[in-house]
Amino acid sequence: MTSRVIDADGHICETKSLWQDYVPQRYRDRTIRIERGDDGQDRTWINGVVREDLLPAMACVPNGMDDPDNPPTWDDITLGSHDGSARVAVMDEEGIEHSLLFPSMYLLSGDIEDPGVAAAACHGYNEWVADMCKDGRGRLDAVGLVPLQSVDAATKEVAHIAQLGLKGVCFRPERYSGMALHDEILAPFWNAVADQGLFAAVHGSFGSHMPSFASSRYKNTFFTHMICHPFEQMAACMDIVCGGVLQRHPGLRVAFLESGLGWLEYWLGRMDEHFEVMGARVPWLERRPSELFREQCFISIEADEAHRLPKIQEMGLEKCVFWGADYPHYDCTYPGAVNELQEHLAPLDQTLADLIRHENAARFIGLG
């Protein structure tokens, strides 16, 4: 390959072995699982209840939503989405050196109501994805899920994630049981993440039933998908930055993923402005939000957002951005993801382009 490329926001697709072999039997009927219905289509089950609004394979197969009258089934998910060796073959085909993997359907783990079931689901997922990465010839890393339905369980799972060799913890941007990410009750969790040297990855998805900006206003997936990623990430970013989480843990790395880049300039400017004129309302915040973000935070972009990078560079944030391919989700570019990235990076200065291709991602993930 002509240039090193790291995919810092790829995905897997969970197979039946996860909920059948990695989740204890007493929790299986209430964890997240996918079962074939009488109509021949797959449905997602959560909390022991079928989710009629979710046809999971449509979201987890490239171009899977192109033909709603003939939707794919879970049998159609690509081998590269759940087999480490096959994933490396896809990476070779595309020109990707290293990938960081995130869940797909288990991004909905925040919907699990029972904290014990949530803890078992996250624990099982983490072992399943760690096993998948073993076949990746050192080119695959993954994040571990934490069950924030229980702070104690999430804090305990952080140690398990580190023991498995996973690189960071992942949770949704929506509030678990109304809890803000800066709430004092979460102090043990943040301490554990920082002490283990892990990063925190905030990654949402559509389809969640957690209370949110999207679900409180809309039911149509067009509308909910439009706003669920950026609106929730903006709120999570404010909680973590302005709520003092970064300031209390100066070595912590935090990423806000799959929500686009366009909101960042506006949002950091607005946070800085409020710090200047209303700083007395947040007496714990001693530094400008943009400074904290610049030193400790990351954001993922899609290839066609590269035109925004010169402005990001003017703001001094060029070391905070990396690329994610989103494979194998329905809206990814496949085949040709790296070709698309290179095309959009071509007008940029080589040094800036290399930061986006691999240097920032390597620093975030902790690669040598």
Side-chain angles (χ1 to χ4, degrees):
M1 61 186 72
T2 58
S3 299
R4 295 181 59 201
V5 175
I6 295 175
D7 170 15
D9 187 6
H11 289 267
I12 57 80
C13 293
E14 302 84 351
T15 61
K16 287 187 177 181
S17 64
L18 168 53
W19 51 88
Q20 291 180 348
D21 300 332
Y22 288 80
V23 175
Q25 185 172 2
R26 65 183 180 278
Y27 298 120
R28 288 176 196 163
D29 63 337
R30 291 174 290 161
T31 191
I32 302 172
R33 68 185 197 277
I34 297 164
E35 302 290 349
R36 183 70 46 83
D38 292 339
D39 61 355
Q41 296 301 321
D42 298 303
R43 295 292 191 281
T44 303
W45 291 71
I46 308 177
N47 301 312
V49 178
V50 65
R51 293 281 296 275
E52 294 290 351
D53 57 327
L54 288 176
L55 293 174
M58 290 182 70
C60 293
V61 174
N63 304 311
M65 291 194 179
D66 284 357
D67 186 3
D69 295 325
N70 186 33
T73 72
W74 208 245
D75 292 337
D76 297 318
I77 61 175
T78 62
L79 189 61
S81 68
H82 57 86
D83 178 277
S85 180
R87 181 55 164 257
V88 170
V90 172
M91 292 161 59
D92 287 339
E93 172 191 347
E94 290 288 284
I96 295 171
E97 178 182 288
H98 200 93
S99 287
L100 180 66
L101 304 177
F102 288 81
S104 287
M105 301 314 298
Y106 267 60
L107 283 173
L108 298 176
S109 61
D111 286 13
I112 299 176
E113 297 169 356
D114 186 314
V117 179
C122 290
H123 189 92
Y125 172 84
N126 295 337
E127 296 203 335
W128 179 87
V129 78
D131 282 348
M132 175 187 166
C133 288
K134 291 176 182 177
D135 295 328
R137 304 202 295 274
R139 294 171 58 189
L140 299 177
D141 278 306
V143 300
L145 284 171
V146 286
L148 285 180
Q149 291 89 336
S150 163
V151 175
D152 288 344
T155 303
K156 181 179 179 181
E157 189 59 29
V158 170
H160 181 228
I161 288 168
Q163 181 184 27
L164 289 170
L166 304 179
K167 295 296 187 177
V169 303
C170 181
F171 48 85
R172 296 189 63 87
E174 295 90 349
R175 290 186 168 181
Y176 292 69
S177 303
M179 178 177 60
L181 290 169
H182 59 76
D183 282 353
E184 182 62 29
I185 191 175
L186 273 171
F189 168 75
W190 289 117
N191 288 336
V193 175
D195 290 347
Q196 293 286 357
L198 301 172
F199 61 72
V202 189
H203 200 307
S205 70
F206 72 99
S208 173
H209 283 189
M210 296 177 73
S212 68
F213 297 111
S215 64
S216 66
R217 292 173 181 249
Y218 304 107
K219 300 301 180 185
N220 186 303
T221 304
F222 178 95
F223 293 94
T224 58
H225 190 272
M226 278 280 294
I227 69 172
C228 67
H229 290 279
F231 284 24
E232 296 296 341
Q233 289 285 27
M234 291 168 74
C237 180
M238 181 170 64
D239 279 358
I240 290 174
V241 177
C242 298
V245 174
L246 299 179
Q247 193 167 273
R248 291 190 292 272
H249 302 287
L252 184 66
R253 293 159 290 154
V254 181
F256 304 94
L257 300 165
E258 206 169 314
S259 56
L261 184 62
W263 58 269
L264 186 64
E265 176 188 350
Y266 162 77
W267 201 229
L268 287 181
R270 188 166 177 81
M271 284 194 278
D272 279 355
E273 179 185 35
H274 278 68
F275 176 73
E276 293 168 2
V277 301
M278 298 181 66
R281 299 284 183 174
V282 287
W284 56 83
L285 196 61
E286 300 173 357
R287 301 176 60 198
R288 291 166 64 90
S290 61
E291 293 177 4
L292 293 166
F293 190 99
R294 182 179 300 114
E295 293 178 7
Q296 296 177 245
C297 292
F298 296 81
I299 187 169
S300 67
I301 67 166
E302 297 180 9
D304 61 3
E305 296 180 284
H307 67 281
R308 301 183 187 276
L309 290 169
K311 179 61 178 179
I312 293 299
Q313 188 174 36
E314 289 178 17
M315 298 170 64
L317 300 173
E318 68 274 13
K319 293 185 178 181
C320 301
V321 185
F322 52 63
W323 171 73
D326 201 37
Y327 175 89
H329 287 173
Y330 75 95
D331 49 353
C332 74
T333 298
Y334 177 77
V338 170
N339 290 339
E340 179 188 44
L341 175 66
Q342 304 287 35
E343 176 184 345
H344 285 281
L345 291 179
L348 303 181
D349 174 81
Q350 180 73 23
T351 300
L352 176 58
D354 283 344
L355 288 173
I356 310 307
R357 288 188 187 100
H358 62 87
E359 290 182 20
N360 293 339
R363 182 164 51 89
F364 172 66
I365 299 170
L367 301 176

